[in-house]
Amino acid sequence: MRFDHAGIATEDAQTLADRYADLFDVEVAHEETFDGMTVVFLAFENGYFELLEPQEEGTIATYLERNGPGIHHLAVETDDAAAALERARDLGIECIDDEPRPGAWGHDVAFLHPRDTGGILLEFVEH
């Protein structure tokens, strides 16, 4: 496994993407509307920033209401998200997803509950 991305909740993905592009000299690798959100991936040499802007009520909108903008989750790339979920279950970690599901950029994703992962929402992502 390797680090894949940091998911960042924001109220304005394009403005933040422009700021980070200038600040870090990075480019947008992918942009889409997915699951009621604008999603923008900025490419670094060793991973991505995934900017998440809600376009309707949902998980990210609720997160922003409760916490304001900031890091929403961290993602680790795996070759087999289903096997990674099974390993987590074997270790007694509560899984939010019973099985991998479609995520942004056509990837399969699955999340682990923060109460079992040091307070961090962790995502397995299979490219």
Side-chain angles (χ1 to χ4, degrees):
M1 291 190 194
R2 69 175 193 90
F3 174 78
D4 190 77
H5 68 266
I8 302 168
T10 179
E11 294 175 4
D12 187 342
Q14 191 57 58
T15 297
L16 190 56
D18 292 343
R19 173 167 287 174
Y20 285 165
D22 291 341
L23 179 63
F24 300 121
D25 193 27
V26 295
E27 295 185 8
V28 171
H30 180 77
E31 187 171 356
E32 69 179 283
T33 300
F34 175 80
D35 200 23
M37 299 176 289
T38 297
V39 182
V40 179
F41 284 87
L42 294 165
F44 290 77
E45 276 188 41
N46 55 347
Y48 301 93
F49 279 9
E50 177 191 36
L51 309 181
L52 304 163
E53 175 190 342
Q55 298 301 315
E56 59 188 50
E57 289 303 313
T59 303
I60 299 302
T62 301
Y63 180 89
L64 285 167
E65 287 172 11
R66 289 183 183 160
N67 304 294
I71 295 176
H72 176 261
H73 68 273
L74 298 177
V76 176
E77 180 185 355
T78 178
D79 292 333
D80 188 340
L85 274 176
E86 187 61 33
R87 177 177 169 85
R89 280 190 207 93
D90 289 347
L91 293 170
I93 296 170
E94 182 180 350
C95 300
I96 292 173
D97 295 294
D98 292 328
E99 59 188 41
R101 59 184 165 88
W105 209 347
H107 302 147
D108 287 334
V109 301
F111 287 87
L112 305 179
H113 201 287
R115 79 174 125 246
D116 289 338
T117 56
I120 299 168
L121 179 63
L122 292 178
E123 174 187 11
F124 291 126
V125 59
E126 182 180 334
H127 291 225

Short mmCIF file of all heavy atoms in Angstrom, two decimals, residues 5 30 32-35 37 39-41 50 52 101-109 123 125-126:
data_model
loop_
_atom_site.label_atom_id
_atom_site.label_comp_id
_atom_site.label_asym_id
_atom_site.label_seq_id
_atom_site.Cartn_x
_atom_site.Cartn_y
_atom_site.Cartn_z
N HIS A 5 -4.03 9.96 -1.38
CA HIS A 5 -4.47 11.36 -1.37
C HIS A 5 -4.99 11.79 0.00
O HIS A 5 -5.31 10.96 0.84
CB HIS A 5 -5.53 11.62 -2.43
CG HIS A 5 -6.85 10.96 -2.19
ND1 HIS A 5 -7.18 9.74 -2.73
CD2 HIS A 5 -7.95 11.34 -1.47
CE1 HIS A 5 -8.40 9.41 -2.38
NE2 HIS A 5 -8.90 10.37 -1.60
N HIS A 30 -7.33 15.81 -12.51
CA HIS A 30 -8.66 15.30 -12.83
C HIS A 30 -9.70 16.18 -12.13
O HIS A 30 -9.47 16.64 -11.01
CB HIS A 30 -8.80 13.85 -12.35
CG HIS A 30 -10.12 13.25 -12.64
ND1 HIS A 30 -10.48 12.80 -13.90
CD2 HIS A 30 -11.20 13.02 -11.85
CE1 HIS A 30 -11.71 12.33 -13.86
NE2 HIS A 30 -12.17 12.44 -12.63
N GLU A 32 -14.20 16.42 -11.79
CA GLU A 32 -15.49 15.85 -12.15
C GLU A 32 -16.55 16.26 -11.14
O GLU A 32 -16.23 16.76 -10.05
CB GLU A 32 -15.42 14.32 -12.23
CG GLU A 32 -15.24 13.64 -10.88
CD GLU A 32 -15.20 12.12 -10.98
OE1 GLU A 32 -16.27 11.51 -11.12
OE2 GLU A 32 -14.09 11.57 -10.91
N THR A 33 -17.80 16.05 -11.53
CA THR A 33 -18.90 16.13 -10.59
C THR A 33 -19.26 14.70 -10.26
O THR A 33 -19.49 13.88 -11.17
CB THR A 33 -20.10 16.87 -11.20
OG1 THR A 33 -19.68 18.19 -11.54
CG2 THR A 33 -21.25 16.94 -10.21
N PHE A 34 -19.26 14.38 -8.96
CA PHE A 34 -19.50 13.00 -8.53
C PHE A 34 -20.27 13.01 -7.23
O PHE A 34 -19.91 13.73 -6.29
CB PHE A 34 -18.16 12.26 -8.34
CG PHE A 34 -18.31 10.88 -7.79
CD1 PHE A 34 -18.65 9.83 -8.61
CD2 PHE A 34 -18.13 10.64 -6.44
CE1 PHE A 34 -18.81 8.55 -8.09
CE2 PHE A 34 -18.28 9.38 -5.92
CZ PHE A 34 -18.62 8.32 -6.74
N ASP A 35 -21.34 12.25 -7.16
CA ASP A 35 -22.08 12.05 -5.93
C ASP A 35 -22.47 13.36 -5.25
O ASP A 35 -22.32 13.52 -4.04
CB ASP A 35 -21.26 11.16 -4.99
CG ASP A 35 -22.10 10.49 -3.91
OD1 ASP A 35 -23.32 10.35 -4.12
OD2 ASP A 35 -21.54 10.14 -2.86
N MET A 37 -21.02 16.30 -5.62
CA MET A 37 -19.86 17.13 -5.28
C MET A 37 -19.07 17.49 -6.53
O MET A 37 -19.04 16.73 -7.48
CB MET A 37 -18.88 16.36 -4.37
CG MET A 37 -19.41 15.92 -3.05
SD MET A 37 -18.18 14.95 -2.15
CE MET A 37 -18.14 13.45 -3.11
N VAL A 39 -15.35 17.54 -7.54
CA VAL A 39 -14.14 16.88 -7.05
C VAL A 39 -12.99 17.28 -7.96
O VAL A 39 -13.07 17.12 -9.18
CB VAL A 39 -14.30 15.34 -7.03
CG1 VAL A 39 -13.06 14.67 -6.47
CG2 VAL A 39 -15.55 14.94 -6.25
N VAL A 40 -11.92 17.80 -7.36
CA VAL A 40 -10.74 18.22 -8.11
C VAL A 40 -9.52 17.55 -7.49
O VAL A 40 -9.29 17.66 -6.29
CB VAL A 40 -10.56 19.76 -8.07
CG1 VAL A 40 -9.32 20.17 -8.84
CG2 VAL A 40 -11.79 20.47 -8.61
N PHE A 41 -8.76 16.83 -8.32
CA PHE A 41 -7.52 16.20 -7.87
C PHE A 41 -6.33 17.02 -8.36
O PHE A 41 -6.21 17.28 -9.56
CB PHE A 41 -7.38 14.79 -8.44
CG PHE A 41 -8.25 13.76 -7.76
CD1 PHE A 41 -9.55 13.54 -8.18
CD2 PHE A 41 -7.74 13.00 -6.72
CE1 PHE A 41 -10.34 12.59 -7.57
CE2 PHE A 41 -8.52 12.03 -6.11
CZ PHE A 41 -9.83 11.82 -6.53
N GLU A 50 -7.29 15.88 -2.94
CA GLU A 50 -8.63 15.74 -3.52
C GLU A 50 -9.51 16.80 -2.87
O GLU A 50 -9.82 16.72 -1.69
CB GLU A 50 -9.18 14.34 -3.24
CG GLU A 50 -10.60 14.14 -3.75
CD GLU A 50 -11.21 12.84 -3.23
OE1 GLU A 50 -10.96 12.46 -2.07
OE2 GLU A 50 -11.96 12.22 -4.00
N LEU A 52 -12.97 18.61 -2.27
CA LEU A 52 -14.36 18.17 -2.27
C LEU A 52 -15.28 19.34 -1.94
O LEU A 52 -15.28 19.85 -0.82
CB LEU A 52 -14.55 17.07 -1.22
CG LEU A 52 -13.62 15.87 -1.35
CD1 LEU A 52 -13.59 15.07 -0.06
CD2 LEU A 52 -14.04 15.02 -2.53
N ARG A 101 -17.02 0.28 -3.06
CA ARG A 101 -18.08 0.90 -3.86
C ARG A 101 -17.44 1.87 -4.84
O ARG A 101 -16.28 2.25 -4.67
CB ARG A 101 -19.08 1.61 -2.96
CG ARG A 101 -18.46 2.70 -2.10
CD ARG A 101 -19.50 3.30 -1.16
NE ARG A 101 -18.92 4.07 -0.11
CZ ARG A 101 -18.63 5.37 -0.18
NH1 ARG A 101 -18.86 6.05 -1.28
NH2 ARG A 101 -18.11 6.00 0.86
N PRO A 102 -18.17 2.27 -5.87
CA PRO A 102 -17.61 3.22 -6.83
C PRO A 102 -17.29 4.56 -6.16
O PRO A 102 -18.09 5.08 -5.39
CB PRO A 102 -18.72 3.37 -7.87
CG PRO A 102 -19.57 2.16 -7.72
CD PRO A 102 -19.50 1.80 -6.26
N GLY A 103 -16.13 5.09 -6.49
CA GLY A 103 -15.71 6.40 -6.00
C GLY A 103 -15.35 7.31 -7.15
O GLY A 103 -15.51 6.96 -8.32
N ALA A 104 -14.85 8.48 -6.81
CA ALA A 104 -14.44 9.45 -7.83
C ALA A 104 -13.34 8.87 -8.71
O ALA A 104 -12.59 7.99 -8.30
CB ALA A 104 -13.96 10.73 -7.15
N TRP A 105 -13.25 9.40 -9.91
CA TRP A 105 -12.22 9.07 -10.89
C TRP A 105 -12.29 7.60 -11.30
O TRP A 105 -11.34 7.02 -11.78
CB TRP A 105 -10.84 9.42 -10.35
CG TRP A 105 -9.81 9.79 -11.37
CD1 TRP A 105 -9.86 9.61 -12.73
CD2 TRP A 105 -8.54 10.38 -11.11
NE1 TRP A 105 -8.71 10.05 -13.32
CE2 TRP A 105 -7.88 10.55 -12.34
CE3 TRP A 105 -7.91 10.79 -9.95
CZ2 TRP A 105 -6.61 11.10 -12.45
CZ3 TRP A 105 -6.65 11.35 -10.06
CH2 TRP A 105 -6.01 11.49 -11.29
N GLY A 106 -13.44 6.95 -11.07
CA GLY A 106 -13.64 5.56 -11.48
C GLY A 106 -12.97 4.54 -10.58
O GLY A 106 -12.89 3.36 -10.93
N HIS A 107 -12.52 4.96 -9.41
CA HIS A 107 -11.85 4.05 -8.48
C HIS A 107 -12.86 3.37 -7.57
O HIS A 107 -13.94 3.91 -7.32
CB HIS A 107 -10.83 4.81 -7.62
CG HIS A 107 -9.80 5.52 -8.42
ND1 HIS A 107 -9.25 6.71 -8.01
CD2 HIS A 107 -9.20 5.24 -9.60
CE1 HIS A 107 -8.35 7.11 -8.89
NE2 HIS A 107 -8.32 6.24 -9.87
N ASP A 108 -12.51 2.21 -7.06
CA ASP A 108 -13.29 1.56 -6.02
C ASP A 108 -12.74 2.04 -4.68
O ASP A 108 -11.52 2.12 -4.49
CB ASP A 108 -13.19 0.04 -6.11
CG ASP A 108 -13.98 -0.52 -7.28
OD1 ASP A 108 -14.95 0.13 -7.71
OD2 ASP A 108 -13.64 -1.61 -7.76
N VAL A 109 -13.64 2.34 -3.74
CA VAL A 109 -13.23 2.89 -2.45
C VAL A 109 -13.97 2.19 -1.31
O VAL A 109 -15.04 1.60 -1.52
CB VAL A 109 -13.49 4.41 -2.36
CG1 VAL A 109 -12.74 5.15 -3.46
CG2 VAL A 109 -14.97 4.73 -2.42
N GLU A 123 -9.51 5.86 4.03
CA GLU A 123 -10.12 5.31 2.82
C GLU A 123 -9.12 4.39 2.15
O GLU A 123 -7.94 4.72 2.00
CB GLU A 123 -10.46 6.45 1.87
CG GLU A 123 -10.96 6.01 0.51
CD GLU A 123 -11.13 7.17 -0.47
OE1 GLU A 123 -10.67 8.30 -0.18
OE2 GLU A 123 -11.72 6.94 -1.53
N VAL A 125 -8.38 2.92 -1.48
CA VAL A 125 -8.73 3.24 -2.87
C VAL A 125 -8.01 2.27 -3.79
O VAL A 125 -6.81 2.05 -3.65
CB VAL A 125 -8.43 4.73 -3.22
CG1 VAL A 125 -6.97 5.07 -3.02
CG2 VAL A 125 -8.86 5.06 -4.62
N GLU A 126 -8.77 1.65 -4.67
CA GLU A 126 -8.23 0.71 -5.65
C GLU A 126 -8.35 1.33 -7.03
O GLU A 126 -9.45 1.63 -7.48
CB GLU A 126 -9.00 -0.61 -5.58
CG GLU A 126 -8.49 -1.67 -6.51
CD GLU A 126 -9.29 -2.97 -6.40
OE1 GLU A 126 -9.88 -3.25 -5.33
OE2 GLU A 126 -9.32 -3.70 -7.41
#
